[in-house]
Amino acid sequence: MKKENKNAFGMIGLGTMGSNLLQNIADHGYNCAGYDNDSEKVDALNNLNRENIHGFSDINDFAKSLKSPKTVMMLVPAGKIVDKVIEELLEVLAKGDIIIDGGNSHFNDTERRYRELEKKGFQFIGMGVSGGEEGARKGPSMMPGGNKEAYETVEPILKKIAAHVNGDPTVAYMGERSAGHFVKMVHNGIEYAIMQLISETYEVLRSGLNMKDEAIHKVFEKWNRGRLQSYLIEITRDIFAYKEKGTDYLLLHDIKDEADAKGTGKWTSQAAKDLNLPVPIIDIAVSMRNLSKYKNLRISASRLYPDSRSVKHDDKDDGYIHTLEQAFYFSMISAYAQGMHLLYRANEEYDYKLKLDLIAKVWRGGCIIRSKFLENIYAAYKENSNLEHLFLNDDIHKSLAENFPGIRTVVSEAALRGIAVPAFSVALSYFDNFRSKEMPTNLIQAQRDYFGSHTYELQGKKGTFHTQWKDMG
Ligand code: 6PG
């Protein structure tokens, strides 16, 4: 193959994401190559009959078809397969070549792979890719981290294939080593929290307000035209209108109420715990997906404790829908704020050199958590890129304060009526503790010292202290 005809980009893993991303790259005039060990997938790629896309069943031929330094992206399931593919790639690539892991790898794996590959002279990028199949085809949001020089080499391609918001591509160098996958993991944690809030909203609408599908569809439709405009509200609106051909009811009603999870939300909770940083809205979202899986247990319990949900209003109470919208806005801000706080803390601990304004900028389009509100978050970090917590920004403060009535009403009424709104409740309690100069945790310190001599600190006095709380004699 003549040098000028060689492929500018190689993809390993030709599932829908890999194939769509390649087509997106080809749309921008680049010659590209795809490899998969499943020959049907290679055939499917070649059957697209795109002049500048070439599918290979042989990894050697695939590698030979690439321009140097060769750029190869993997879009394969996270875990051991990634290590296996890297091993195979090292046989056919040369020092200086670029390997990109575009899957949802755990950041600890990316950290290890980065260090190992660096030692061997390869350039490694761990890159979060968000936006699902449609995003891959039309413009994803991408969060690359790792070797900066390598990023600069592939940046022109990535900028072209990304989504664009106000002319800006939704891709930027996130930071060192595993920073890209850490950022993507937190993205997913926020995704879990917002999805949980939306499902609780559904519960309030159907069980608390007795609303029918069409009316629920209209609520999400209206919200999506206002300040809650976001991808997740938009798809929810559509789900509340989707009927299978030949049926006169929503497909949603046939779907089991047991939510799956590939694990990125759990990783976010775990990573936060390792840093002693609170992200309770993400924790609760993970836990509620887990609880949903205990269907039989829930059925048994429902017999023992019959449903006590009571309806507050019948259908179409616009005043209450506005209250609920306020509660949602408040809690959604909390979900983003807790995720961003985790990024702030991780940046200190892991020295990623993250730029929180850039992260918000990249999340404004292409990804699953894209929303109108990300403009406000971006503005907050643009004003102060070292902002420790979003709640401390003046505009965010105003947004929260305006919506106190909504969140308090929804949480308290739901509690009285037996309607579960755990994420809304957590958003409110997190806030009420967050803004407390004094938490009741002095008591926990006293208890720890009482039963375990763990000592305590005193206000206005240096040192640690222990008390013999009870006369043991
Ligand atoms: C994205 C999504 C994606 C994720 C799925 C499933 O940003 O495009 O976050 O990366 O894999 O949405 O995640 P769960 O199976 O954990 O729900």
Side-chain angles (χ1 to χ4, degrees):
M1 202 181 259
K2 275 199 212 144
K3 200 173 170 214
E4 60 271 24
N5 291 335
K6 285 205 162 188
N7 294 311
F9 199 93
M11 176 72 69
I12 297 199
L14 300 177
T16 319
M17 285 292 286
S19 165
N20 281 2
L21 211 61
L22 271 188
Q23 292 176 64
N24 184 351
I25 296 170
D27 286 346
H28 291 92
Y30 294 99
N31 286 342
C32 42
Y35 165 79
D36 201 296
N37 56 13
D38 177 347
S39 60
E40 276 180 26
K41 288 194 178 134
V42 178
D43 291 345
L45 189 75
N46 286 329
N47 289 339
L48 293 170
N49 284 323
R50 297 275 308 254
E51 209 182 306
N52 52 354
I53 302 184
H54 312 98
F56 295 87
S57 305
D58 182 301
I59 198 163
N60 266 300
D61 296 342
F62 163 77
K64 274 191 210 137
S65 81
L66 297 168
K67 230 187 247 173
S68 283
K70 300 179 187 213
T71 302
V72 176
M73 177 161 162
M74 301 176 286
L75 264 177
V76 298
K80 287 202 176 103
I81 300 186
V82 177
D83 291 306
K84 202 174 152 272
V85 173
I86 291 177
E87 227 174 85
E88 286 172 38
L89 268 177
L90 294 190
E91 299 289 312
V92 294
L93 297 182
K95 283 188 178 180
D97 286 343
I98 301 168
I99 301 175
I100 306 172
D101 175 10
N104 268 334
S105 289
H106 192 287
F107 72 97
N108 281 339
D109 285 334
T110 302
E111 189 77 21
R112 167 180 58 77
R113 289 171 189 140
Y114 176 86
R115 291 180 195 281
E116 284 170 5
L117 287 168
E118 190 183 40
K119 263 191 229 144
K120 292 181 179 153
F122 292 87
Q123 309 196 68
F124 187 57
I125 297 175
M127 180 165 86
V129 178
S130 180
E133 293 167 5
E134 196 187 351
R137 184 68 188 88
K138 296 186 184 153
S141 169
M142 287 169 287
M143 295 146 250
N147 191 299
K148 194 163 186 198
E149 223 178 280
Y151 171 71
E152 279 158 7
T153 309
V154 290
E155 189 183 43
I157 301 182
L158 298 182
K159 281 191 163 168
K160 284 198 183 108
I161 64 168
H164 285 74
V165 177
N166 307 331
D168 293 326
T170 55
V171 61
Y173 178 73
M174 295 283 107
E176 312 223 333
R177 309 177 322 276
S178 57
H181 276 137
F182 196 95
V183 171
K184 175 62 178 22
M185 177 191 73
V186 175
H187 164 285
N188 281 30
I190 297 171
E191 172 185 306
Y192 274 53
I194 296 177
M195 289 168 78
Q196 174 65 26
L197 286 169
I198 296 177
S199 80
E200 291 176 19
T201 301
Y202 165 37
E203 177 68 342
V204 172
L205 294 174
R206 73 169 175 185
S207 302
L209 301 183
N210 206 17
M211 283 173 76
K212 302 289 169 267
D213 298 331
E214 176 63 24
I216 297 179
H217 166 75
K218 286 205 176 111
V219 169
F220 287 116
E221 195 201 13
K222 188 169 173 202
W223 285 8
N224 198 48
R225 280 188 272 114
R227 61 183 181 171
L228 294 184
Q229 195 285 317
S230 61
Y231 175 72
L232 285 169
I233 294 281
E234 180 189 316
I235 63 166
T236 308
R237 172 201 68 193
D238 294 350
I239 290 168
F240 275 95
Y242 187 86
K243 293 173 182 162
E244 293 277 82
K245 262 197 192 123
T247 65
D248 60 357
Y249 62 94
L250 296 186
L251 171 63
L252 179 67
H253 298 308
D254 277 345
I255 297 179
K256 277 192 180 176
D257 64 344
E258 296 173 53
D260 281 335
K262 290 210 185 95
T264 44
K266 179 179 78 181
W267 295 349
T268 315
S269 276
Q270 288 171 333
K273 298 288 163 294
D274 287 342
L275 292 167
N276 297 326
L277 184 116
V279 287
I281 198 160
I282 297 172
D283 302 338
I284 199 77
V286 174
S287 290
M288 289 305 114
R289 282 202 197 186
N290 291 339
L291 183 58
S292 80
K293 290 294 215 182
Y294 287 82
K295 180 80 173 177
N296 289 337
L297 202 55
R298 288 192 283 120
I299 291 173
S300 307
S302 73
R303 289 193 196 110
L304 193 61
Y305 306 99
D307 195 349
S308 61
R309 287 178 289 188
S310 69
V311 174
K312 174 184 164 55
H313 302 280
D314 263 336
D315 223 338
K316 295 194 187 97
D317 182 330
D318 279 350
Y320 198 77
I321 300 291
H322 176 66
T323 305
L324 188 58
E325 194 266 356
Q326 284 196 332
F328 192 94
Y329 194 63
F330 180 97
S331 307
M332 179 192 73
I333 296 175
S334 197
Y336 283 115
Q338 291 177 40
M340 296 307 285
H341 192 202
L342 174 55
L343 289 174
Y344 181 94
R345 180 74 195 94
N347 202 23
E348 289 180 327
E349 189 70 21
Y350 303 135
D351 198 20
Y352 279 144
K353 311 218 166 45
L354 301 175
K355 294 194 174 77
L356 299 192
D357 54 337
L358 219 53
I359 295 171
K361 191 176 177 195
V362 161
W363 284 353
R364 289 178 311 157
C367 66
I368 304 294
I369 63 166
R370 64 185 184 257
S371 68
K372 195 169 183 173
F373 189 71
L374 267 160
E375 289 292 352
N376 303 36
I377 299 180
Y378 177 41
Y381 287 110
K382 244 193 344 194
E383 193 183 304
N384 174 8
S385 61
N386 205 29
L387 181 66
E388 185 172 352
H389 197 289
L390 270 176
F391 285 5
L392 300 182
N393 170 271
D394 281 346
D395 288 331
I396 305 278
H397 163 229
K398 267 188 224 129
S399 302
L400 288 171
E402 276 163 22
N403 296 285
F404 289 155
I407 186 73
R408 292 206 186 284
T409 305
V410 167
V411 169
S412 54
E413 289 202 348
L416 289 171
R417 290 172 191 281
I419 290 167
V421 287
F424 281 111
S425 309
V426 155
L428 180 58
S429 297
Y430 171 83
F431 172 80
D432 279 333
N433 263 332
F434 185 87
R435 58 84 180 264
S436 294
K437 222 163 99 189
E438 277 170 24
M439 281 174 65
T441 20
N442 48 341
L443 179 57
I444 292 175
Q445 279 300 78
Q447 289 165 331
R448 290 176 72 244
D449 189 59
Y450 189 121
F451 62 64
S453 305
H454 295 298
T455 74
Y456 51 82
E457 289 173 294
L458 286 173
Q459 307 200 37
K461 216 171 171 185
K462 281 205 168 125
T464 50
F465 301 88
H466 166 60
T467 294
Q468 190 61 43
W469 295 87
K470 192 176 157 190
D471 186 0
M472 296 296 193

